[in-house]
Amino acid sequence: MSAPQARRRVAVLISGRGSNMRALIEASRAADYPADIALVVSSKPEAAGLEYARAAGVETAVVDQADFPRGDAGREAYDAALQHVLLRARIEFVCLAGFMRIFSADFVRQWQGRIVNIHPSLLPAFRGLKPQAQALAAQVRVSGCTVHHVVPELDAGPTIAQIEVPVLPGDTEETLSARILAAEHRLYPDALRQVLGSRHARS
Ligand code: GRF
């Protein structure tokens, strides 16, 4: 029998509510879960998720995007500051969970195969902002959520796992988003378990 693998030091990156972060922290309480949520980083100091993380005893950091100028130089400086925080905490794997920033290609390359995101649509359908509203506008009957590897192009990396969610007659952006979000909370912990168990995630 092979020896049990050490838990990986995972950072969750947020910008707001942090309900997916919470699902990951809760999952990581199981002794056999392959991730230790060792750090939560927010791009905004007022992100509600920070409070939950602190109360749960998870180390938190803020890399405030307001401290950095807009444009390419600001993006690179932001990503360098973020990289410093991640390396200082000896992070091995990164989960984006409502992190409302686009990375420089360099940052993504440094984490290639070790950075994943959750998106509230069945990718490749409805990339980018407001995918639930896009799904309603397209009048699809089924939408859902996707956990995928992060590549430089937005919402375009290989899919790890998806859950389908019905779009019901009379749905609004709010009702559909809430139904998809409940599925996200099941999907993300399972997908992270899956990807950490695969060769792809090992550096
Ligand atoms: C989720 O719908 C996620 O899929 C998207 O942003 C939202 C974040 O919600 N990327 P929360 O902060 O995890 O509650």
Side-chain angles (χ1 to χ4, degrees):
M1 234 170 68
S2 58
Q5 270 215 294
R7 277 151 71 90
R8 313 296 290 277
R9 290 180 65 80
V10 172
V12 183
L13 273 48
I14 65 169
S15 297
R17 180 176 55 189
S19 68
N20 279 289
M21 169 212 75
R22 181 177 179 150
L24 291 170
I25 291 173
E26 281 170 3
S28 74
R29 294 200 174 114
D32 70 341
Y33 198 70
D36 172 22
I37 308 303
L39 179 67
V40 167
V41 185
S42 174
S43 62
K44 295 183 181 176
E46 70 276 15
L50 283 171
E51 227 169 280
Y52 177 88
R54 287 184 196 119
V58 177
E59 188 185 331
T60 62
V62 175
V63 183
D64 189 349
Q65 59 186 16
D67 293 341
F68 296 81
R70 288 172 186 271
D72 287 351
R75 184 179 310 287
E76 277 162 29
Y78 185 93
D79 289 356
L82 178 60
Q83 180 75 342
H84 179 75
V85 167
L86 295 173
L87 295 183
R88 193 181 54 197
R90 293 176 287 111
I91 294 304
E92 301 168 282
F93 196 94
V94 174
C95 290
L96 307 181
F99 188 67
M100 298 301 286
R101 288 189 59 84
I102 294 175
F103 293 113
S104 56
D106 245 19
F107 182 88
V108 175
R109 260 194 298 275
Q110 279 162 333
W111 287 94
Q112 196 177 359
R114 297 183 298 134
I115 182 166
V116 298
N117 181 42
I118 187 158
H119 184 78
S121 77
L122 293 177
L123 291 172
F126 313 131
R127 291 176 179 171
L129 290 176
K130 291 186 164 283
Q132 303 94 335
Q134 293 184 51
L136 288 173
Q139 300 188 320
V140 292
R141 291 204 178 162
V142 177
S143 190
C145 46
T146 303
V147 173
H148 62 93
H149 290 284
V150 173
V151 297
E153 196 187 339
L154 189 66
D155 300 330
T159 291
I160 296 160
Q162 293 184 312
I163 294 180
E164 290 187 356
V165 174
V167 181
L168 301 180
D171 259 343
T172 62
E173 192 181 345
E174 286 67 37
T175 59
L176 178 59
S177 298
R179 195 176 307 118
I180 293 175
L181 192 65
E184 292 183 48
H185 298 159
R186 302 200 312 274
L187 180 68
Y188 214 170
D190 285 357
L192 181 60
R193 181 191 283 280
Q194 181 186 322
V195 79
L196 288 181
S198 78
R199 203 165 46 87
H200 199 59
R202 294 192 192 132
S203 43

